[in-house]
Amino acid sequence: MNKRTDKSDILDIFSSLASPLQELINYKNSPLDTIDDIVNYKRQTKTFWKQEFLTLHASQIDPSFHKNLVNMYLACEKEFNYSLFSSKENKRWSAYQLCKAVAPRICPYCNRNHTPVISNAERDFCRPELDHFIPKSIYPMFAVSFYNLIPSCHSCNHSKQALDVIKKDCFDKFSFKLCHPHVKKDDVTSHSIFTLENTQDVVEQLINYNSSPNITVGLEPNLETKILNSLEAFHLSFNFSNKQQGFYHHHDKEISDSLRLIYHYPKTALNKLNILLYQNSTSENIVSLQNLLIEQIMSTDCKNESLGKLKNDCLKEAVKYW
């Protein structure tokens, strides 16, 4: 609930929660009355203030209900104990076991950094960080939810921080603001996202054997808001001062290496293949062979190859200008 939310709506939401919250508190049979509990609750909700969220004062709602709200938060935090889950001393279902079971080869957020689990029968050494897609600082009941724990790289886990990813539309329907790695409809593998803003110039530079072609990565127009939000949240690509910034705009070498590998594939080998396949050597056939090479060099599983998505999109763009 941000500062634009109507306070009457907030009170209605709280009122609708009163009964189930009371049941939870009664069930746990652990009322928390002390001022220390209130202070701890305020400390835990510091994320709200950092992101310009509001916290209703007790004077605006029934004091006893406010105490129940505090109790619910603390009960959730105690019951859904992420510190215990992530501890190496935890020999039951734990963060290491989760990562061993589901951690991808490459970070599912950025598609840049590797996310290995280094472990053997005697000791666990290191694992990917676990990002809480829905932040546990705001929603403690999701602190150890299986689908909320995303094995990710350090950069992505800290870029998003405690961003509230849940939104409600005008029809009171809830959805995610960002692409969720485990939601099928959020899979962007088949969508073109990246392009080269100066593709024709890049190809001409390669033709002239320029060792350092001037590559500028851009974004396809009319991308979904959720995709744009994800690119910005993880600092991958965002507009700042009318210029695209972010990690993806610093990988021109990886793109140029892939393009150069294809364009400067030994001409003698291409000519031999040309004669073998077509019986005669023509420039059109050479281009056809280069296109076949592009299809072979493009990743068939870009999610499991570092920068696979970025390179695939740029190669598809470049082939139009051979």
Side-chain angles (χ1 to χ4, degrees), residues 44-53 73 131-139 156-166 177-178 233-234:
Q44 294 294 343
T45 56
K46 60 182 180 294
T47 338
F48 287 90
W49 302 329
K50 283 183 180 179
Q51 297 183 349
E52 296 187 350
F53 280 75
Y73 190 99
D131 173 65
H132 289 83
F133 188 78
I134 301 173
K136 69 179 186 299
S137 58
I138 304 176
Y139 307 96
C156 288
N157 188 31
H158 287 264
S159 293
K160 183 166 70 68
Q161 297 183 340
L163 174 69
D164 190 350
V165 299
I166 297 177
K177 298 176 185 176
L178 309 182
F234 298 107

Side-chain angles (χ1 to χ4, degrees), residues 52-255:
E52 296 187 350
F53 280 75
L54 63 87
T55 301
L56 284 180
H57 296 289
S59 60
Q60 296 175 272
I61 59 175
D62 181 86
S64 63
F65 178 70
H66 184 269
K67 187 175 74 172
N68 288 343
L69 187 64
V70 173
N71 291 346
M72 182 213 67
Y73 190 99
L74 296 174
C76 287
E77 191 178 53
K78 181 179 179 181
E79 188 69 22
F80 305 109
N81 189 338
Y82 181 74
S83 296
L84 176 63
F85 176 75
S86 60
S87 171
K88 282 190 175 182
E89 280 65 46
N90 182 8
K91 302 303 180 184
R92 299 169 62 194
W93 178 245
S94 65
Y96 262 96
Q97 292 169 306
L98 173 64
C99 288
K100 289 175 187 177
V102 303
R105 183 172 182 270
I106 305 295
C107 175
Y109 287 140
C110 68
N111 190 227
R112 298 169 58 245
N113 299 316
H114 289 77
T115 51
V117 180
I118 311 300
S119 177
N120 57 34
E122 299 178 357
R123 181 183 171 190
D124 295 324
F125 294 95
C126 67
R127 60 170 175 81
E129 296 185 14
L130 289 173
D131 173 65
H132 289 83
F133 188 78
I134 301 173
K136 69 179 186 299
S137 58
I138 304 176
Y139 307 96
M141 68 289 293
F142 296 125
V144 291
S145 170
F146 178 83
Y147 293 102
N148 196 43
L149 295 170
I150 311 297
S152 59
C153 67
H154 175 82
S155 176
C156 288
N157 188 31
H158 287 264
S159 293
K160 183 166 70 68
Q161 297 183 340
L163 174 69
D164 190 350
V165 299
I166 297 177
K167 68 175 182 179
K168 183 177 76 168
D169 63 19
C170 57
F171 301 104
D172 289 340
K173 291 185 177 180
F174 292 88
S175 61
F176 290 144
K177 298 176 185 176
L178 309 182
C179 297
H180 192 299
H182 300 333
V183 175
K184 188 174 182 180
K185 67 179 181 179
D186 287 348
D187 187 352
V188 298
T189 305
S190 59
H191 300 284
S192 290
I193 295 178
F194 307 103
T195 184
L196 296 176
E197 293 185 351
N198 54 338
T199 312
Q200 190 167 357
D201 294 338
V202 170
V203 171
E204 289 177 359
Q205 291 170 29
L206 286 170
I207 291 172
N208 295 323
Y209 286 84
N210 185 332
S211 60
S212 302
N214 182 24
I215 289 176
T216 303
V217 175
L219 299 178
E220 293 284 358
N222 304 317
L223 289 175
E224 290 183 29
T225 302
K226 185 184 285 190
I227 296 175
L228 294 173
N229 288 344
S230 297
L231 292 172
E232 182 173 355
F234 298 107
H235 300 166
L236 302 177
S237 183
F238 55 93
N239 190 287
F240 184 78
S241 298
N242 295 319
K243 182 180 179 182
Q244 287 298 125
Q245 303 280 352
F247 291 120
Y248 281 147
H249 302 280
H250 294 272
H251 287 296
D252 51 299
K253 185 178 186 303
E254 287 81 358
I255 299 171

